[in-house]
Structures are given as C-alpha cells and as structure tokens.
Amino acid sequence: STATAVTAVLVVLFGLVALGYWEPPVGEIVGDALGAGRAVYDAVGRWVLERLLGWLEGVAS
C-alpha cells in the first residue's frame, strides 16, 4: 500500500542519515517550509483569520 511505501522510504532516508551517507540540507528545507507557510498565510490565512475574528465578534455581542 501507499503507507507501506512511504514508511519504507522514510526508514531508508533515516538509515542513510544515521550511517552518515547523506547529510540533508536541513537549513534549506526549514527555510523553504517557512517560506511556503508564509505564502499560504499571505494568500489564504489572513482572509480566514479576518473571517474568524468577525464571527467571534458577532458571537460575543
């Protein structure tokens, strides 16, 4: 199944890191993830947050 294949890939990657055969660019990966998160927030998150706050204000009053 798909879950088995994903698990196998992750085990192999962790094994390569543990044995010292591969040093992943952790800084770049984290930077890319944070950049993607900012882009998603700028595109959708701000709108959702404004709607949620508006709804909460309506419920509170």
Side-chain angles (χ1 to χ4, degrees), residues 3-27:
T4 304
V6 169
T7 303
V9 168
L10 289 175
V11 167
V12 169
L13 289 176
F14 282 126
L16 289 173
V17 170
L19 294 174
Y21 290 113
W22 181 52
E23 292 186 24
V26 175

Side-chain angles (χ1 to χ4, degrees), residues 34 37 45:
L34 290 175

